Amino acid sequence: AKAKVSAAKPAASALAGLSPLLTAAAAPHRAYLAGLGVPPIWITMAEIFTAVFLAVYLLSCTCLTRVITKRSPSVGKRGAAHVYAPGRWLADAETNPSKYHAEVFILRYSACWILSVVVVIATAAYESWGKWGYMSYCGACAAPAVLYPLMFPLQGDVRRPLRDWYILKANVWIAIFSFIGNYWYTHYFYVVLRANYTFDAHRLNDVPIALYLMTHAYFMFYHVLSNAALRKIRSRYRPGRGRFAFECGVIAAMSYSTAFMESLTICGFPYYSFEDRDMAYTLGSAFYGIYFLVSFPMFLRVDEDVRADGKAPSEALARALPAGAADAMAGRMTHRAVFWEAMGSGMAVLCMLDFVRVYLGIDFKMLAGGH
């Protein structure tokens, strides 16, 4: 049976304080939609997303005024003309093939495990799983991200040393961040949002170990998508305060949207419960979105500015340089830097989650044996 949890009164009070702002201008159409049988939570979420994307649109209209241009071949007798740079979604296949092919691989691999999740939820196959069933399935979803590139090197990594493989650095970054998220952040969901996992599972710090594995697959997918969006902005518009403001707005919108869509898509799994699911969609999505406010821009930094296919200095010069300097000259991030940036990002998120908890006036207690 599902474990019952007590009401999250402080968090609910905070949400109640926001309700007038969300509903004041929406009373007429709320009444109309309610009359059609539309659940109030869907009306609320529609209002929230309308406000979020309207803000992003207004930022794009007011802030994005400096488009990158490039010279085109001469046309007629007028000479070379300047045209707008189209920007790019994926890493440059010529100057950064390791990252380009890794991102393509992650997108294709993610399509496979996402399809499997749809089948599992639709058929309720999890009902026959025990502890090892969950471990096997979640491990099977996460393992290809690491094992496939090692067994069959990606096109951009052939004849390239392992230390230069972007796919390995991406796995290290996501593994660290997702471990911190499960080990630490999940307890904030237990305390602030009164969430609960009720399926039979092997646990580490009262969090199902299977979820440590599944989170790796989810986060690899999320962060490749965020890479694409942020790269499109940075390769299309010139640096400046306007672009920075728009980028911050896009990160916030993507963070909230990602958190909400995950909550929505797993609502069919009955063993992840909340005291108040409506609050989980509204306030909970903002709380979960804090993860990505930090991780989306930080993950993009990994090997993003590789120059000239990352060609490092000569071997003789590399030996004479300090540790890591040769990689830096090629624009690559060392594994040591990847480790510490992931750790730092994890600490930043932890602080932000705790600031929210303190603001809401909720006491925090982490129980290893069960909350």
Side-chain angles (χ1 to χ4, degrees):
K2 297 182 183 179
K4 294 184 178 180
V5 291
S6 59
K9 294 181 179 179
S13 299
L15 182 60
L18 293 175
S19 296
L21 299 176
L22 297 173
T23 61
H29 78 259
R30 270 182 168 271
Y32 173 74
L33 292 174
L36 296 177
V38 179
I41 183 59
W42 297 120
I43 301 175
T44 299
M45 293 311 302
E47 293 167 353
I48 291 174
F49 278 108
T50 298
V52 168
F53 289 106
L54 178 61
V56 172
Y57 173 73
L58 293 176
L59 282 172
S60 70
C61 293
T62 57
C63 297
L64 298 180
T65 58
R66 303 176 60 201
V67 181
I68 295 174
T69 59
K70 61 181 181 179
R71 295 183 69 85
S72 67
S74 59
V75 180
K77 297 181 179 180
R78 296 185 177 184
H82 286 85
V83 296
Y84 292 141
R88 60 179 183 275
W89 297 101
L90 298 177
D92 193 305
E94 294 183 1
T95 61
N96 198 356
S98 181
K99 190 166 187 175
Y100 170 81
H101 288 285
E103 290 181 337
V104 171
F105 162 72
I106 293 169
L107 291 173
R108 290 175 176 172
Y109 139 72
S110 296
C112 297
W113 70 256
I114 290 171
L115 179 60
S116 77
V117 169
V118 171
V119 172
V120 166
I121 297 297
T123 61
Y126 50 79
E127 294 290 0
S128 62
W129 295 351
K131 295 181 179 181
W132 288 107
Y134 281 103
M135 287 285 287
S136 299
Y137 174 73
C138 294
C141 287
V146 180
L147 297 181
Y148 185 91
L150 290 175
M151 297 171 61
F152 309 99
L154 304 181
Q155 185 176 337
D157 295 325
V158 176
R159 294 187 299 276
R160 193 183 298 273
L162 283 174
R163 66 185 177 85
D164 289 346
W165 289 18
Y166 170 78
I167 188 65
L168 296 185
K169 297 176 186 178
N171 272 291
V172 169
W173 203 105
I174 293 298
I176 293 169
F177 189 73
S178 60
F179 176 84
I180 294 172
N182 282 282
Y183 190 90
W184 288 100
Y185 309 161
T186 303
H187 285 268
Y188 283 84
F189 280 77
Y190 291 163
V191 172
V192 177
L193 299 174
R194 301 297 181 182
N196 199 14
Y197 293 108
T198 58
F199 59 91
D200 188 27
H202 300 283
R203 293 181 178 245
L204 173 62
N205 198 27
D206 199 28
V207 178
I209 296 176
L211 297 185
Y212 288 80
L213 301 173
M214 198 68 202
T215 302
H216 190 86
Y218 270 86
F219 279 15
M220 289 288 280
F221 177 59
Y222 294 163
H223 287 79
V224 166
L225 294 183
S226 67
N227 275 3
L230 296 178
R231 183 180 296 117
K232 184 69 172 181
I233 296 170
R234 295 183 181 186
S235 60
R236 182 79 168 87
Y237 301 98
R238 296 185 183 279
R241 293 179 182 178
R243 192 186 78 173
F244 177 75
F246 177 68
E247 193 172 302
C248 289
V250 170
I251 291 171
M254 289 194 302
S255 298
Y256 190 85
S257 301
T258 300
F260 171 73
M261 289 306 298
E262 181 176 320
S263 299
L264 179 64
T265 54
I266 65 173
C267 68
F269 181 63
Y271 303 116
Y272 181 40
S273 59
F274 291 93
E275 166 62 27
D276 185 340
R277 187 163 288 276
D278 289 356
M279 185 183 71
Y281 286 146
T282 52
L283 183 64
S285 294
F287 194 67
Y288 184 19
I290 291 173
Y291 292 27
F292 307 121
L293 289 176
V294 175
S295 68
F296 282 168
M298 291 301 293
F299 182 75
L300 177 64
R301 288 170 42 82
V302 180
D303 282 4
E304 181 64 9
D305 297 318
V306 170
R307 297 178 291 278
D309 195 16
K311 292 180 180 177
S314 65
E315 187 174 343
L317 178 57
R319 285 198 298 266
L321 293 171
D327 284 329
M329 290 178 67
R332 295 194 182 282
M333 186 177 287
T334 64
H335 284 272
R336 179 182 298 179
V338 169
F339 173 84
W340 287 115
E341 290 212 2
M343 293 289 287
S345 298
M347 188 61 195
V349 173
L350 182 61
C351 288
M352 294 171 70
L353 293 174
D354 209 55
F355 293 157
V356 173
R357 178 193 65 81
V358 171
Y359 174 77
L360 295 175
I362 301 174
D363 293 330
F364 180 80
K365 182 181 291 186
M366 182 182 289
L367 303 176
H371 59 280

